[in-house]
Amino acid sequence: MTATTTLSAITLRNFVGGRFVEADRAFEKRSPVDGALVAMVAEADRNTVDSAMRSARTALEGPWGRTGAGERAALLRRIADRIDARFDDLLAAEVSDTGKPLHLARGLDIARAAANFRAFADMMASAGIDSYLTEMPDGRRALNYALRKPVGIVGVIVPWNLPLLLLTWKVAPALACGNAVVVKPSEETPSSATVLAEIMAEAGVPEGVFNLVHGFGPDSAGEFITTHPDLDGITFTGESSTGSTIMRAAAPYVRPVSFELGGKNAALVFDDVDIDRAVDGLTRSIFTNTGQVCLCTERVYIQRPIFDEVVARLVDSAEALRLGRPEDEATTTGPLISTAHRQKVLSYLELARDEGARVVTGGGIPDLGSDLSGGAWIEPTLWTGLAHNARVMREEVFGPVAGLIPFDTEEEAIGLANDTKYGLAASVWTNDLERGHRVAGSMRVGISWVNNWFMRDLRSPFGGAGLSGIGREGGMHSLAFYTEPTNVCVTLSDATPSDGRQA
Ligand SMILES: NC(=O)C1=CN([C@@H]2O[C@H](COP(=O)(O)OP(=O)(O)OC[C@H]3O[C@@H](n4cnc5c(N)ncnc54)[C@H](O)[C@@H]3O)[C@@H](O)[C@H]2O)C=CC1
Ligand SMILES: O=C(O)/C=C/C=C(\O)C(=O)O
């Protein structure tokens, strides 16, 4: 993506204080399908971010700061209804930015955006509060209860892989809890967030509660948000090293952060498994969204007696994937997000070869004809023959790739899967229920699936251990992050001394 000063064709603007505003600079968003220009995007400068922060503060100090949970839940439902009404606009926006297949964006990204608002509306409307009847040793009694208050202004910074899904996963609970937000989508995916800003206005979200600023990370909108003195908390999804940078920005102000970062997720395939089911699940877990989901599998450990068969079946599945234009219903797999990201993925494929991998399918740039030659296409790729400690088996690639490694015993497989600095997700494939529970429970990760992948319950904790993040979101975990409790302790009865006098 290139920065430019051409302003005449700006199509996507920043949304501050309830209206779209002008900017002095703009950048191009190009399609990863064929390199065509998708939009000129207004880049927010420091003043625009300042103004977003002021609008957010004004909203918090106004009627928004006094809304009840029921009122906010009703607002979230109106937003969800508007997402349904603008479904096709969101779909078009998401697909033109990412190049992902229409059916994927329809079934996953846009559907989840509405579901995120409805789920947190339900949770907020029905959530109780912490309360304790306290009995002191001397006989005094009190009622403790914790009021849930908004954190304040929350900076929401999200990546390009599941743009609307991840944005709404954070905005929905933040608004449910009464916060105001300043959000920055990735520079690669500005479109669906802009439609969401329109939806916020249509649904009646008060001015200043939802602010959208476009731009990059360092020395741009991302940095201006995370270093802003008036910010109260940061929620971020993206690369682990960006998480470190944002943590440093948060440190001087001791701001709460919630991070969902990278992964190097393992799948463990035992020889008692139903191979059809495992191959189907692994194919999805390696290649969905062209491998650009933080939960995707990049390491597959397969028990030795079925290793050759599973490898052959996975190769067949990878070769059956159809790369092509998103609007073609037969397309299973889109491009990577950009040619810059493809360069990174290709450098890992080169590294795999240098480290001694045997590439069993894929490994390069496909020839999809001259129409698509300007896109960020890459072949679904699998390799074998690498030791578990090879660099490419330890670092996140974030593409449609995986390394396949045999193992002998359950203990060995658990050790291999857990031998990583990441700790986001794992999947276990077995027909032995006891083993499924045992192995899934011993994974050092935030989410561990047995015989499935990416089946989500929005009430469950979501996040990662180690380099994969800090904290959890989802259900009550989101309500905990997006609120600041004030515990109130009220005396119910004073102590009664043993001789009967009042204390
Ligand atoms: N969920 C995940 O695990 C993801 C991992 N990645 C990996 O990260 C690599 C880089 O992709 P990026 O989109 O550049 O990820 P990133 O982590 O740099 O960007 C994510 C978001 O953070 C913003 N950002 C970047 N630097 C920032 C800073 N210093 N302060 C505040 N905001 C900042 C970006 O503008 C974007 O909105 C990819 O090649 C991929 O391997 C990318 C996206 C998601
Ligand atoms: O289901 C979710 O809430 C999130 C899924 C994926 C990511 O967080 C990611 O790919 O970054």
Side-chain angles (χ1 to χ4, degrees):
M1 186 157 301
T2 45
T4 112
T5 49
T6 310
L7 295 174
S8 53
I10 290 183
T11 49
L12 302 177
R13 290 182 165 75
N14 300 297
F15 184 78
V16 174
R19 61 191 67 82
F20 286 98
V21 296
E22 300 305 323
D24 293 336
R25 280 164 58 91
F27 59 90
E28 290 178 357
K29 162 62 197 168
R30 290 199 168 266
S31 166
V33 172
D34 53 12
L37 184 67
V38 171
M40 292 301 298
V41 189
E43 183 178 357
D45 59 11
R46 209 181 275 279
N47 286 337
T48 309
V49 173
D50 274 349
S51 160
M53 292 286 171
R54 277 197 305 278
S55 299
R57 185 61 64 200
T58 305
L60 288 166
E61 287 167 356
W64 175 249
R66 296 187 288 279
T67 51
E71 212 179 319
R72 295 196 300 269
L75 179 64
L76 262 62
R77 291 201 179 93
R78 285 204 300 279
I79 298 170
D81 291 346
R82 290 307 306 160
I83 291 176
D84 289 347
R86 301 281 309 269
F87 198 94
D88 289 346
D89 296 335
L90 288 164
L91 191 59
E94 202 74 321
V95 167
S96 51
D97 278 357
T98 59
K100 66 178 68 183
L102 259 184
H103 60 80
L104 178 64
R106 195 185 292 129
L108 176 66
D109 302 69
I110 318 301
R112 244 303 281 284
N116 284 336
F117 283 100
R118 292 200 171 97
F120 284 104
D122 291 349
M123 283 179 233
M124 200 63 213
S126 61
I129 55 171
D130 273 356
S131 67
Y132 301 95
L133 190 58
T134 308
E135 295 176 350
M136 303 301 285
D138 64 3
R140 284 178 299 154
R141 296 170 75 236
L143 177 64
N144 274 279
Y145 60 92
L147 292 172
R148 242 187 229 121
K149 296 178 177 170
V151 169
I153 306 176
V154 180
V156 178
I157 300 191
V158 286
W160 41 257
N161 53 332
L162 303 171
L164 189 68
L165 184 159
L166 290 172
L167 184 56
T168 52
W169 172 240
K170 294 167 183 300
V171 169
L175 299 194
C177 295
N179 298 282
V181 294
V182 178
V183 312
K184 195 197 85 60
S186 167
E187 54 275 28
E188 293 289 356
T189 49
S191 301
S192 57
T194 310
V195 179
L196 186 67
E198 293 169 8
I199 286 173
M200 291 289 164
E202 292 162 10
V205 174
E207 281 175 16
V209 171
F210 176 92
N211 303 278
L212 163 71
V213 293
H214 292 294
F216 304 81
D219 200 26
S220 184
E223 183 181 316
F224 302 153
I225 294 172
T226 55
T227 57
H228 199 282
D230 204 29
L231 189 69
D232 296 303
I234 304 172
T235 177
F236 168 73
T237 297
E239 210 193 20
S240 299
S241 64
T242 312
S244 296
T245 306
I246 293 179
M247 232 174 141
R248 279 194 291 277
Y253 305 93
V254 200
R255 279 179 184 142
V257 294
S258 172
F259 286 167
E260 199 257 287
L261 308 173
K264 189 73 183 176
N265 309 308
L268 281 62
V269 189
F270 289 92
D271 63 4
D272 57 41
V273 77
D274 171 343
I275 291 186
D276 287 344
R277 182 196 220 181
V279 168
D280 179 56
L282 289 167
T283 304
R284 288 192 309 109
S285 80
I286 299 168
F287 299 118
T288 293
N289 205 34
T290 319
Q292 301 168 120
V293 180
C294 60
L295 308 164
C296 277
T297 301
E298 290 193 6
R299 300 182 286 148
V300 187
Y301 300 105
I302 305 163
Q303 207 157 16
R304 203 172 301 273
I306 58 167
F307 183 77
D308 290 342
E309 183 179 354
V310 173
V311 171
R313 297 280 305 276
L314 281 174
V315 168
D316 288 347
S317 293
E319 292 176 357
L321 295 172
R322 280 276 303 272
L323 276 58
R325 286 200 173 269
E327 53 280 4
D328 180 348
E329 288 291 333
T331 295
T332 58
T333 310
L336 292 169
I337 190 65
S338 64
T339 47
H341 183 51
R342 180 173 67 180
Q343 201 41 51
K344 172 182 161 185
V345 175
L346 286 171
S347 73
Y348 272 110
L349 298 188
E350 201 179 313
L351 174 67
R353 289 191 178 92
D354 290 348
E355 290 188 301
R358 188 167 81 86
V359 175
V360 289
T361 187
I365 297 177
D367 181 0
L368 299 175
S370 57
D371 271 11
L372 302 183
S373 61
W377 299 92
I378 191 150
E379 290 174 327
T381 300
L382 298 170
W383 66 79
T384 58
L386 277 190
H388 159 76
N389 59 1
R391 228 187 91 202
V392 75
M393 296 302 299
R394 306 187 79 82
E395 297 179 12
E396 183 184 49
V397 179
F398 218 65
V401 307
L404 316 174
I405 294 184
F407 70 87
D408 292 301
T409 66
E410 179 181 312
E411 200 183 8
E412 180 194 1
I414 293 171
L416 291 168
N418 282 338
D419 182 20
T420 170
K421 292 204 180 314
Y422 290 104
L424 190 57
S427 61
V428 181
W429 301 90
T430 177
N431 271 6
D432 177 340
L433 194 58
E434 276 184 34
R435 168 178 270 163
H437 283 285
R438 187 169 63 235
V439 176
S442 55
M443 294 293 98
R444 195 188 61 88
V445 294
I447 187 159
S448 198
W449 283 289
V450 180
N451 296 330
N452 71 73
W453 175 78
F454 205 179
M455 193 186 276
R456 294 274 286 112
D457 185 320
L458 307 186
R459 298 166 298 183
S460 63
F462 185 82
L467 274 187
S468 294
I470 297 181
R472 298 289 185 274
E473 297 197 30
M476 299 310 290
H477 299 267
S478 294
L479 300 193
F481 177 71
Y482 293 102
T483 54
E484 195 73 79
T486 295
N487 188 72
V488 177
C489 177
V490 183
T491 297
L492 293 180
S493 60
D494 290 325
T496 309
S498 52
D499 64 2
R501 283 180 293 116
Q502 287 291 304

